[in-house]
Each structure stands twice: as structure tokens, then as C-alpha cells.
């Protein structure tokens, strides 16, 4: 029997479970998940201390711990030393941002898609390759030892992004997401923890959940990861590493200053933490800042994806890996992929070595500049973070409207944007903001129509009754 009476005790969650169902911890975890998904427990709710819940249910403490751990592995809970366990703010968010089919009833301004009007050099290069006498070799298995000149091309592109590396550090993956998955799979065990920004790339969240790697939000200062908070996490939260997007952060469209990069790199070296540096957006900036990896080359796994800078269909990423991590990450990539596509690897290398990638990137930039200038005119009265070369912006909402409310209202008006709630991590409070994709609409006219719709909606927010939100 419980030691204490809980009739009038203000527990935030008082589950009722059938103890005949075995194992009990799974039944308790199922009840907890059901109450979160059905809205009985709202995001941010602090759960009762495990000992109190064990006493209330007349169960062993280990049963409660296992149930919480099971839900934590699904991303439903977030725990921090000294603060307790909370329902994650992102427990109900949809982390899959690219829909199975293009939405026909909405102007797509959610997914971060580069413009699709600049691919002529890729087409011509591909046609040339397929006319060669030995073209059939592009359709076999690729072997890592036969791709040295392709790695030379990788070094050239990575140097353009702000990191000086060498061929012996390069491995190739089938896109940035694939590289992130292989890195976490090789460097983390189930239950391990890594630090991330309070709002982060949803693809990282889905990979971590799949591998049962817990992600810990690290506090920011003016949209930059706080070095002091990172050091605290190293000491108190038992993290093994961090994931960062230093250049044009997704979703907040901000840059990590060189000063902060140096401080975070020094802390990572001091605590022997690995850093996954996602360089997907480095080449959007004509003058990229020095990469995190340049300040901590033995700690940083640098991932240069081609999807945002050249073309999403080139499912390829170049990864500059410290020597001590190269073997486990290479083995993880082999187990996931066997090899990258020889066709895509050769195509990408030729585009880079011939300098056609410079033309492609510049065309993307010019398209982005034109669209961002249009956005700046229509949304001049509102705070919209990001710069003129970016492919998305971070729109801060007026009054007390949440990102989730604005996303829903915008969809009702025919425009798709993505709320901060989709990107928030753990028990961090989501910012009242939405991510607006600049380049996803097919035409400039469609983009402008979407902007005008968003502006009309922003203008009427102060007049909306909260009961209608």
C-alpha cells in the first residue's frame, strides 16, 4: 500500500493502470504516451517525481524509471538534472517536413527547397557522361579506393565553404541526413545524449529518435549557443557531443559568431566532445566564416551536403572526418549504404572540378536575392530574421500568437509555413515564430501571392479573439 495519502496531493499526473498487464512498466509507458498524444498532458507539463509516482501507484521505483525511459526514447519526455522530467514541447510536432506529394491546395512555403531553374549545367554534364564509351561503369558498385579524384573535388568544395582539409579525411554519404545517421550510429550507443540548439533541424531529431539517442537542448544567447551552457551540459548532463548548424542556422536563419565558434571549440577539446557541424548552408554566403572544424579539427565531423547549394537530387554529402572517427563512420556508412552512387559521385565531381558549381551557386544566390528583396518589401513592418541570400526566413509573430496557431491559420488561407513547435527541442519553450521558405514556390508570382496572404493575416492578428485561435 502507498505510504502516504494522495487524495488531496497535487500530482500533475495520476494514471490509472491495470497491474494485471505485464510488464507493468510498458503498460504505464503506454498510458503516459496516450495521455500526451490526447492532450491530457500538455507540452511543458512537469511530471511528478518518480519516487512520488511510485508511492502513489504502489510500484517499485525501477518500474517508473523504465516507463519514463521508454517514453523518453520516443522524444515524448525531456529530463534535466535538478529540474525534473517534463513533457517535451516537441512531443506532438511533425518532424517530417517534406510531404510525400507536393501540396496542391497550398502555396508551399514550408519546406526548404532551392530554386529549380538553374540546372542546365548538370543536365549537360550528365549527357556528356552517358555518351562515353565506358558509361556502364556508372551503374555498378562504387569502391572507396577508386574515388580519389572525386575526393579531390570534395576538398575543393569544402575549402570554398571555409575549411581546409585533405583527401585522407574525406568520406562520402548519400546526403547530409545519411551522414548524420551514420555519425550518430557509429559514435553513440542507445541511451547516449547529445546537445543541440533549443530549435534545431527536425531531421536530426528523427534520426536521434530512431537510434534512441537523446537530444538535450542547450540554451542560446541572441540565437547563438551559449558556451557556458554547453560547458554546463558537458559537466552535468553527461552529453557525448553536440550538433550545430553554424552558418544560416535552420530554422532561425542566424550565424554563430567567430568568437562563439572558438569558445565552443575550446570547450569541446577540453571535455573531449565530438561536434557534428552541418554545413548545408555554408555556401549561401559569398564570404563564409571559418568552419567550426578549423578551430577543433580533431573534434569536428564536418558535413557538406550538396542538396541546398547545388541540387537536392544530388543525394551526396562530403564528410571531413577526424582520423580517430574515420574508421567507425566509414563502417557505419558501408552498413547503411554499401556505397554511394557512382553516377552521382562522378557527376558531382565533374561539376565541381569544372567550376560549373560556381555558376550554379551564383544562380541560386541571385534567385534568393530577388525573392528576399520581395519578402522584405511585403513584410517590412515585421521582424523576419535572415539575409538576402538565404532560402528561408524566421518570421517573429506579433502579440501573443504561437507559431502553431499561425501555421494553422495560414494553411486555412492557402499558404504552408512551418511553426517553431516543429523545431523546438525537449522542454525548451518554442519561440512565437514560423519558418518561411523563400525558394519553394515554383514562380515569383506564386511566391508574391503567398507573401500577400501572410501579410494580410499578420495585419489582422491584433483583431483576432483568442477564442478563435
Amino acid at each position: 500500500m502507498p505510504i502516504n495519502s494522495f487524495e488531496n496531493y497535487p500530482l500533475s499526473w495520476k494514471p490509472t493502470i491495470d497491474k494485471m498487464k505485464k510488464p507493468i512498466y510498458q503498460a504505464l509507458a503506454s498510458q503516459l504516451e496516450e495521455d500526451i498524444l490526447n492532450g491530457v498532458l500538455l507540452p511543458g507539463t512537469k511530471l511528478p517525481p518518480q519516487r512520488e509516482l511510485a508511492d502513489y501507484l504502489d510500484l517499485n521505483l525501477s518500474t517508473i524509471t523504465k516507463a519514463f525511459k521508454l517514453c523518453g526514447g520516443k522524444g515524448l519526455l525531456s529530463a534535466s538534472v535538478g529540474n525534473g522530467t517534463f513533457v517535451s514541447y516537441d512531443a506532438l510536432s511533425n518532424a517530417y517536413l517534406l510531404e510525400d506529394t507536393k501540396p496542391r491546395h497550398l502555396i508551399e512555403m514550408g519546406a526548404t527547397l532551392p530554386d529549380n531553374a538553374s540546372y542546365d549545367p548538370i543536365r549537360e554534364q550528365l549527357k556528356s557522361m552517358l555518351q562515353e564509351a565506358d558509361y556502364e561503369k556508372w551503374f555498378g558498385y562504387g569502391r572507396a579506393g577508386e574515388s580519389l579524384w572525386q575526393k579531390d573535388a570534395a576538398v575543393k568544395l569544402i575549402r570554398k565553404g571555409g575549411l581546409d582539409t585533405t583527401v585522407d579525411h574525406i568520406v562520402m554519404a548519400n546526403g547530409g541526413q545519411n551522414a548524420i545517421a551514420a555519425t550518430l550510429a557509429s559514435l553513440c550507443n542507445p541511451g547516449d545524449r547529445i546537445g543541440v540548439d533549443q530549435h534545431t533541424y527536425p531531421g536530426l531529431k528523427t534520426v536521434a529518435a530512431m537510434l534512441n539517442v537523446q537530444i538535450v537542448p542547450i540554451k542560446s544567447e541572441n540565437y547563438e549557443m551559449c558556451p557556458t551552457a554547453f560547458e554546463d551540459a558537458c559537466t552535468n548532463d553527461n552529453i557525448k557531443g553536440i550538433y550545430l548548424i553554424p552558418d544560416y542556422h535552420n530554422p532561425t536563419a542566424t550565424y554563430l559568431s567567430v568568437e562563439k565558434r572558438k569558445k565552443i571549440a575550446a570547450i569541446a577539446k577540453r571535455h573531449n566532445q565530438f561536434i557534428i557541424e552541418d554545413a548545408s548552408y555554408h555556401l549561401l554566403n559569398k564570404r563564409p566564416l571559418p568552419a567550426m572544424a578549423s578551430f577543433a579539427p580533431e573534434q569536428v565531423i564536418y558535413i557538406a551536403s550538396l542538396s541546398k547549394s547545388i541540387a537536392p537530387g544530388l543525394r551526396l554529402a562530403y564528410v571531413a572526418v577526424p582520423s580517430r572517427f574515420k574508421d567507425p563512420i566509414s563502417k557505419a556508412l558501408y552498413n547503411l549504404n554499401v556505397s554511394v552512387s557512382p553516377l552521382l559521385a562522378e557527376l558531382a565531381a565533374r561539376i565541381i572540378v569544372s567550376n560549373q558549381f560556381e555558376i550554379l551557386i551564383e544562380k541560386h544566390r541571385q534567385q534568393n536575392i530577388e525573392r528576399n528583396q520581395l519578402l522584405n518589401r511585403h513584410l517590412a513592418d515585421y521582424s523576419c530574421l535572415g539575409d538576402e541570400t538565404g532560402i528561408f526566413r524566421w518570421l517573429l509573430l506579433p502579440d501573443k500568437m504561437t507559431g502553431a496557431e499561425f501555421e494553422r491559420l495560414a494553411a486555412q488561407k492557402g499558404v504552408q509555413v512551418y511553426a517553431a513547435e516543429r523545431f523546438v527541442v525537449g522542454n525548451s519553450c518554442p519561440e512565437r515564430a514560423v519558418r518561411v521558405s523563400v525558394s519553394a514556390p515554383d514562380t515569383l508570382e506564386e511566391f508574391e501571392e503567398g507573401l500577400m496572404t501572410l501579410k494580410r493575416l499578420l495585419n489582422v492578428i491584433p483583431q483576432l479573439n483568442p477564442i478563435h485561435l
Side-chain angles (χ1 to χ4, degrees), residues 220-464:
S220 300
E221 298 173 334
N222 298 319
Y223 297 101
E224 296 181 294
M225 182 179 285
C226 173
T228 303
F230 172 39
E231 184 135 39
D232 287 344
C234 294
T235 304
N236 300 317
D237 287 328
N238 195 31
I239 63 172
K240 294 190 69 174
I242 56 172
Y243 167 86
L244 283 172
I245 308 174
D247 288 79
Y248 216 83
H249 175 260
N250 184 7
T252 61
T254 54
Y255 290 88
L256 189 64
S257 67
V258 174
E259 179 188 4
K260 288 286 198 323
R261 294 177 196 224
K262 290 179 179 178
K263 288 182 178 179
I264 289 172
I267 294 166
K269 287 191 280 189
R270 189 158 58 247
H271 291 273
N272 194 28
Q273 297 276 308
F274 68 77
I275 299 175
I276 301 174
E277 180 174 8
D278 188 336
S280 295
Y281 304 98
H282 277 203
L283 294 176
L284 294 179
N285 191 346
K286 280 193 173 184
R287 298 178 184 82
L289 297 173
M292 284 288 304
S294 63
F295 301 119
E298 294 304 311
Q299 314 298 131
V300 180
I301 299 95
Y302 178 97
I303 300 173
S305 167
L306 305 187
S307 62
K308 302 301 187 289
S309 57
I310 299 181
L314 283 175
R315 300 310 302 158
L316 194 66
Y318 300 130
V319 190
V321 183
S323 299
R324 62 188 177 127
F325 297 143
K326 187 177 179 183
D327 186 56
I329 290 177
S330 296
K331 287 179 179 177
L333 285 167
Y334 179 86
N335 287 328
L336 288 171
N337 310 319
V338 179
S339 71
V340 299
S341 162
L343 177 66
L344 296 184
E346 182 73 12
L347 177 59
R350 293 190 184 196
I351 290 167
I352 293 166
V353 171
S354 66
N355 290 326
Q356 289 175 314
F357 85 108
E358 301 266 17
I359 298 171
L360 281 165
I361 291 169
E362 187 56 34
K363 284 184 176 180
H364 287 317
R365 283 202 197 104
Q366 291 307 315
Q367 292 260 5
N368 295 341
I369 289 170
E370 182 179 13
R371 293 193 175 205
N372 276 295
Q373 288 174 345
L374 191 61
L375 182 146
N376 290 340
R377 288 200 299 272
H378 281 283
L379 302 182
D381 295 332
Y382 300 93
S383 296
C384 205
L385 304 185
D387 60 36
E388 63 177 6
T389 61
I391 64 174
F392 58 86
R393 301 288 287 273
W394 189 238
L395 174 62
L396 305 182
L397 300 173
D399 296 302
K400 296 183 179 180
M401 178 167 283
T402 67
E405 290 164 346
F406 189 84
E407 178 182 325
R408 178 175 57 81
L409 291 172
Q412 291 173 0
K413 300 297 183 182
V415 179
Q416 177 201 68
V417 294
Y418 285 149
E421 283 81 353
R422 293 178 178 265
F423 306 93
V424 75
V425 176
N427 61 352
S428 303
C429 185
E431 191 165 21
R432 290 186 292 106
V434 293
R435 192 185 72 184
V436 180
S437 176
V438 169
S439 53
D442 290 331
T443 65
L444 202 61
E445 293 73 22
E446 184 184 32
F447 178 57
E448 186 165 23
E449 182 185 346
L451 289 175
M452 290 189 292
T453 300
L454 294 180
K455 183 177 181 179
R456 286 194 295 268
L457 186 54
L458 288 165
N459 288 342
V460 301
I461 284 177
Q463 305 166 30
L464 292 175

Side-chain angles (χ1 to χ4, degrees), residues 129-130 132 134-140 341-343 346 350:
M129 285 173 55
L130 296 178
E132 295 177 10
D134 58 349
Y135 72 90
E136 69 276 359
K137 66 185 178 183
W138 315 128
F139 300 98
S341 162
L343 177 66
E346 182 73 12
R350 293 190 184 196

Side-chain angles (χ1 to χ4, degrees), residues 56-334:
Y56 171 72
L57 294 172
D58 196 19
L59 294 172
N60 291 330
L61 176 61
S62 62
T63 301
I64 309 298
T65 301
K66 286 162 69 174
F68 277 27
K69 186 175 182 180
L70 197 60
C71 288
K74 295 181 178 181
L76 299 172
L77 302 179
S78 177
S80 59
V81 177
N83 293 320
T85 303
F86 298 80
V87 178
S88 294
Y89 275 99
D90 56 346
L92 304 179
S93 67
N94 174 14
Y96 299 93
L97 300 191
L98 188 62
E99 298 183 11
D100 290 343
T101 58
K102 185 177 177 65
R104 297 184 181 277
H105 62 293
L106 295 173
I107 297 175
E108 192 172 28
M109 296 174 70
T112 57
L113 307 172
D115 72 273
N116 58 6
S118 309
Y119 297 145
D120 285 348
I122 300 176
R123 181 186 63 189
E124 293 305 314
Q125 190 64 254
L126 183 58
K127 284 169 62 178
S128 173
M129 285 173 55
L130 296 178
Q131 289 170 1
E132 295 177 10
D134 58 349
Y135 72 90
E136 69 276 359
K137 66 185 178 183
W138 315 128
F139 300 98
Y141 281 112
R143 298 179 187 272
E146 298 173 355
S147 59
L148 288 181
W149 95 272
Q150 294 171 357
K151 292 182 178 181
D152 281 329
V155 168
K156 180 175 181 177
L157 181 125
I158 288 173
R159 283 177 179 163
K160 182 77 175 177
L163 175 64
D164 193 8
T165 188
T166 57
V167 168
D168 54 310
H169 288 289
I170 300 296
V171 297
M172 290 190 282
N174 290 320
Q177 182 85 352
N178 181 235
I180 292 169
T183 301
L184 289 183
S186 59
L187 302 187
C188 296
N189 294 314
D192 282 347
R193 299 154 70 87
I194 63 165
V196 298
D197 289 296
Q198 291 172 296
H199 294 79
T200 196
Y201 167 51
L204 181 277
K205 297 200 294 182
T206 58
V207 167
M210 180 180 70
L211 297 173
N212 195 21
V213 172
Q214 297 183 39
I215 54 177
V216 177
I218 297 178
K219 290 182 180 179
S220 300
E221 298 173 334
N222 298 319
Y223 297 101
E224 296 181 294
M225 182 179 285
C226 173
T228 303
F230 172 39
E231 184 135 39
D232 287 344
C234 294
T235 304
N236 300 317
D237 287 328
N238 195 31
I239 63 172
K240 294 190 69 174
I242 56 172
Y243 167 86
L244 283 172
I245 308 174
D247 288 79
Y248 216 83
H249 175 260
N250 184 7
T252 61
T254 54
Y255 290 88
L256 189 64
S257 67
V258 174
E259 179 188 4
K260 288 286 198 323
R261 294 177 196 224
K262 290 179 179 178
K263 288 182 178 179
I264 289 172
I267 294 166
K269 287 191 280 189
R270 189 158 58 247
H271 291 273
N272 194 28
Q273 297 276 308
F274 68 77
I275 299 175
I276 301 174
E277 180 174 8
D278 188 336
S280 295
Y281 304 98
H282 277 203
L283 294 176
L284 294 179
N285 191 346
K286 280 193 173 184
R287 298 178 184 82
L289 297 173
M292 284 288 304
S294 63
F295 301 119
E298 294 304 311
Q299 314 298 131
V300 180
I301 299 95
Y302 178 97
I303 300 173
S305 167
L306 305 187
S307 62
K308 302 301 187 289
S309 57
I310 299 181
L314 283 175
R315 300 310 302 158
L316 194 66
Y318 300 130
V319 190
V321 183
S323 299
R324 62 188 177 127
F325 297 143
K326 187 177 179 183
D327 186 56
I329 290 177
S330 296
K331 287 179 179 177
L333 285 167
Y334 179 86

Side-chain angles (χ1 to χ4, degrees), residues 10-83:
L11 285 176
S12 59
W13 183 50
K14 295 183 177 181
T16 302
I17 60 169
D18 182 357
K19 294 183 181 179
M20 297 301 292
K21 292 183 178 180
K22 305 292 183 180
I24 295 176
Y25 80 91
Q26 289 185 349
L28 183 60
S30 296
Q31 181 65 61
L32 180 52
E33 180 175 1
E34 183 179 324
D35 285 350
I36 292 172
L37 297 179
N38 290 337
V40 176
L41 289 172
L42 298 176
T45 301
K46 184 175 182 179
L47 293 179
Q50 292 185 27
R51 289 188 182 279
E52 291 185 11
L53 194 58
D55 194 11
Y56 171 72
L57 294 172
D58 196 19
L59 294 172
N60 291 330
L61 176 61
S62 62
T63 301
I64 309 298
T65 301
K66 286 162 69 174
F68 277 27
K69 186 175 182 180
L70 197 60
C71 288
K74 295 181 178 181
L76 299 172
L77 302 179
S78 177
S80 59
V81 177
N83 293 320

